[in-house]
Amino acid sequence: MKSLRFSLITVVLVCLALVVSSVLPGNILAAPSPYKIGVITSVTGFMGPMGSGARDAAQFVAEIVNKQGGINGHPLEVIVYDDGSDPSKGVMALKKLIDEDQVLAVVGPVSTGIALACAPIAEKSEVPILTQNSSSWSVALKPWNIPKPPTKIRKWVF
């Protein structure tokens, strides 16, 4: 199961970096600055066993991409924050990634509760966030009709 999660995270990070780099304006592509991707995961707390694998996979992918020359010559910089399995810490991490670190996109969180807390912030800031949780409701807009699948979804949360 750990290798499946590792493979999925690897594929997701590489695809996300390639998609983001393909839609950037030309003047950004000319700059030698790194492409920053944020990762919010539970390295500590009750979700720690799952989140530490996500952290390790993200860092490993960045190493591989950078050893191969980066993306369009730009290094991939992965910025990882531990949410401690706590929604309030996850929200603070997302705000820091968006406002201070100015990431292009965010992968995580791995917890449904944290993803639900982060989703409105990602939507408002228009920064894509790829949540890794078990609920489709993190991508859904309210009002929720829990027995039925969501029909109205967020634009920036996947």
Side-chain angles (χ1 to χ4, degrees), residues 79-147:
I79 303 169
V80 181
Y81 289 120
D82 175 17
D83 59 34
S85 305
D86 179 332
S88 62
K89 289 180 182 177
V91 165
M92 289 188 310
L94 180 60
K95 288 180 178 179
K96 185 173 182 182
L97 285 167
I98 293 168
D99 297 335
E100 294 178 29
D101 299 316
Q102 298 182 344
V103 296
L104 298 171
V106 176
V107 176
V110 296
S111 164
T112 299
I114 300 169
L116 288 169
C118 289
I121 296 161
E123 192 72 10
K124 183 178 179 185
S125 66
E126 298 184 348
V127 171
I129 182 170
L130 182 79
T131 64
Q132 302 163 293
N133 62 78
S134 61
S135 174
S136 59
W137 298 105
S138 59
V139 300
L141 289 168
K142 291 182 180 180
W144 295 345
N145 185 0
I146 297 295

Side-chain angles (χ1 to χ4, degrees), residues 12-75:
V12 165
L13 280 173
V14 170
C15 290
L16 185 60
L18 290 172
V19 167
V20 168
S21 69
S22 70
V23 297
L24 292 173
N27 61 345
I28 292 177
L29 292 177
S33 60
Y35 291 149
K36 296 180 184 180
I37 303 293
V39 175
I40 301 171
T41 191
S42 300
V43 177
T44 59
F46 72 95
M47 295 289 294
M50 180 179 265
S52 59
R55 175 205 58 206
D56 296 346
Q59 292 169 339
F60 181 68
V61 168
E63 282 181 34
I64 291 171
V65 168
N66 291 335
K67 282 181 183 177
Q68 295 177 357
I71 300 168
N72 297 328
H74 296 260

